[in-house]
Amino acid sequence: MVIEPIQQHHGLQAILLLPGTQCTIGSSRVCTLTVRAQAILPRHCLIVSGANSTLLKEWGDSTWLNDRPIRESIELMENDRLAIGPTEFRIRQTNAEEVNAAFSNDGNNDSIDDFPLE
């Protein structure tokens, strides 16, 4: 899956989530996706991509999925809209070119989180 900003927000880039990867979103620089905006916690939410599903776990109050507040872990689906504070993202399927680019990458692509799940 791909998490991409709906509107350009401070240079945010799309994040490619391959199965077995995770993405942290928050205001901290240690997050996979750093969003500097009001109401965003240092570690705001976590997205975990598995072989068959992608789950969102919220750690902050201002996390919304399809205009509904998130209060527990929930599965992300294609065309979902994720709002974290004032920043909105669209969830979409990965295309073949993105997957090929990820595997042929020389290690300089900041949009791929390849940390293994524990």
Side-chain angles (χ1 to χ4, degrees):
M1 295 200 114
V2 174
I3 308 161
E4 64 183 3
I6 291 177
Q7 297 177 342
Q8 202 60 341
H9 178 80
H10 302 289
L12 290 177
Q13 300 294 316
I15 299 289
L16 174 64
L17 282 172
L18 298 172
T21 62
Q22 62 185 4
C23 171
T24 53
I25 301 174
S27 61
S28 172
R29 284 184 246 150
V30 300
C31 290
T32 311
L33 181 57
T34 302
V35 179
R36 302 263 182 190
Q38 189 173 2
I40 305 217
L41 298 173
R43 290 183 54 189
H44 200 90
C45 63
L46 171 69
I47 299 174
V48 179
S49 182
N52 299 314
S53 65
T54 301
L55 298 176
L56 169 69
K57 176 172 177 44
E58 61 84 26
W59 292 316
D61 289 338
S62 41
T63 305
W64 295 67
L65 186 65
N66 301 322
D67 299 320
R68 293 194 171 121
I70 301 300
R71 299 291 177 244
E72 58 189 38
S73 294
I74 190 167
E75 185 174 357
L76 293 175
M77 307 298 283
E78 185 174 9
N79 296 318
D80 277 347
R81 286 178 300 110
L82 173 62
I84 299 166
T87 308
E88 289 190 51
F89 299 89
R90 177 176 71 108
I91 309 300
R92 66 172 174 80
Q93 288 297 325
T94 309
N95 64 45
E97 290 174 5
E98 291 167 325
V99 173
N100 289 338
F103 285 108
S104 65
N105 183 13
D106 63 355
N108 293 324
N109 188 339
D110 293 334
S111 67
I112 297 174
D113 180 9
D114 58 1
F115 297 115
L117 295 176
E118 297 180 14

